[in-house]
Amino acid sequence: QQQVKQSPQSLIVQKGGISIINCAYENTAFDYFPWYQQFPGKGPALLIAIRPDVSEKKEGRFTISFNKSAKQFSLHIMDSQPGDSATYFCAASLADRGSTLGRLYFGRGTQLTVWP
Amino acid sequence: NAGVTQTPKFRVLKTGQSMTLLCAQDMNHEYMYWYRQDPGMGLRLIHYSVGEGTTAKGEVPDGYNVSRLKKQNFLLGLESAAPSQTSVYFCASAPGTGRGVNQPQHFGDGTRLSIL
């Protein structure tokens, strides 16, 4: 059973537009929600992360919106640029205690293309 | 700082051959992970380790073995390679406090493995 569901699978956005990627989860015990960015030929790199005690976190052009009651969270990329073209993964994790080990459960990824 | 280094970067094997993928990290991290990435499937956890001398199964452990004899190294072995194991393999590490505070995982750039 997939723990984190991500959509859309692919996204094409015009330069300067807003890119929105959505994720949903079932396990209410998750308490850490990171987003990873991956460029071709490279490993994923942490982009931004949020904990469930806040509804929004912003870092530059990247914003996570978190809806605890709906068990959904999303990544918004404002003023999208061609350099943002990459694959984006959402993930969720239980608290890093003992047997849970901070294990990450990943969505299946969204391939974002920003046209100039 | 090199971060997480994976060796080799590419490899082609024949069905039934064995090989070992090496992951080395220089950040003194406690936790280490092996993932496989397949198109449309996201990142799936194969095995992980919470410290030197310890290993545990992840989501898709069958056909793989691991060892963590030294804190900085995490080895992934394929005893008898099968075409279904054709994939991109990523290693990651995290500080791992075990005190309820999640820390981001740092990824290597992957090993691209083809099994004919």
Side-chain angles (χ1 to χ4, degrees):
Chain A
Q1 182 183 359
Q2 194 178 1
Q3 299 271 1
V4 179
K5 296 183 178 179
Q6 182 173 349
S7 62
Q9 189 172 359
S10 63
L11 180 62
I12 300 174
V13 174
Q14 201 78 18
K15 178 182 176 181
I18 302 174
S19 303
I20 302 174
I21 304 170
N22 301 300
C23 286
Y25 64 96
E26 287 298 323
N27 190 341
T28 55
F30 285 145
D31 75 342
Y32 176 66
F33 301 87
W35 284 88
Y36 282 79
Q37 180 188 54
Q38 183 181 28
F39 292 105
K42 297 294 185 180
L46 180 68
L47 183 64
I48 187 173
I50 196 169
R51 299 190 189 279
D53 52 348
V54 297
S55 60
E56 185 175 281
K57 182 174 182 179
K58 184 176 181 180
E59 291 185 1
R61 296 184 293 108
F62 300 91
T63 300
I64 299 178
S65 296
F66 187 84
N67 186 329
K68 190 173 182 178
S69 61
K71 294 187 286 186
Q72 294 175 348
F73 58 111
S74 59
L75 176 69
H76 292 66
I77 306 174
M78 310 300 288
D79 187 27
S80 299
Q81 299 297 312
D84 297 331
S85 297
T87 300
Y88 293 81
F89 294 96
C90 62
S93 176
L94 300 169
D96 179 19
R97 289 192 183 90
S99 62
T100 63
L101 309 169
R103 173 180 168 176
L104 285 173
Y105 295 86
F106 284 90
R108 293 187 174 181
T110 296
Q111 188 167 348
L112 171 65
T113 302
V114 181
W115 288 99
Chain B
N1 254 352
V4 178
T5 303
Q6 292 185 234
T7 310
K9 296 188 186 307
F10 304 93
R11 187 73 184 268
V12 178
L13 289 179
K14 293 182 180 179
T15 297
Q17 287 184 318
S18 64
M19 79 161 295
T20 300
L21 281 64
L22 173 64
C23 176
Q25 53 95 2
D26 62 3
M27 298 172 282
N28 201 35
H29 285 172
E30 289 294 332
Y31 296 173
M32 296 187 75
Y33 309 83
W34 275 107
Y35 294 90
R36 62 178 288 173
Q37 184 177 26
D38 302 291
M41 296 298 292
L43 289 144
R44 293 183 291 171
L45 184 64
I46 304 172
H47 286 281
Y48 58 96
S49 168
V50 297
E52 183 178 319
T54 72
T55 63
K57 294 180 180 180
E59 181 183 356
V60 287
D62 293 343
Y64 305 96
N65 56 74
V66 289
S67 65
R68 187 140 179 232
L69 300 179
K70 294 183 179 180
K71 184 177 183 179
Q72 64 268 33
N73 295 335
F74 195 27
L75 278 62
L76 177 71
L78 285 73
E79 291 184 344
S80 179
S84 61
Q85 294 178 303
T86 293
S87 187
V88 182
Y89 292 86
F90 287 99
C91 176
S93 70
T97 65
R99 293 194 293 271
V101 179
N102 296 87
Q103 301 290 332
Q105 293 185 14
H106 299 258
F107 284 79
D109 284 338
T111 293
R112 284 146 187 82
L113 182 61
S114 293
I115 299 163
L116 307 178

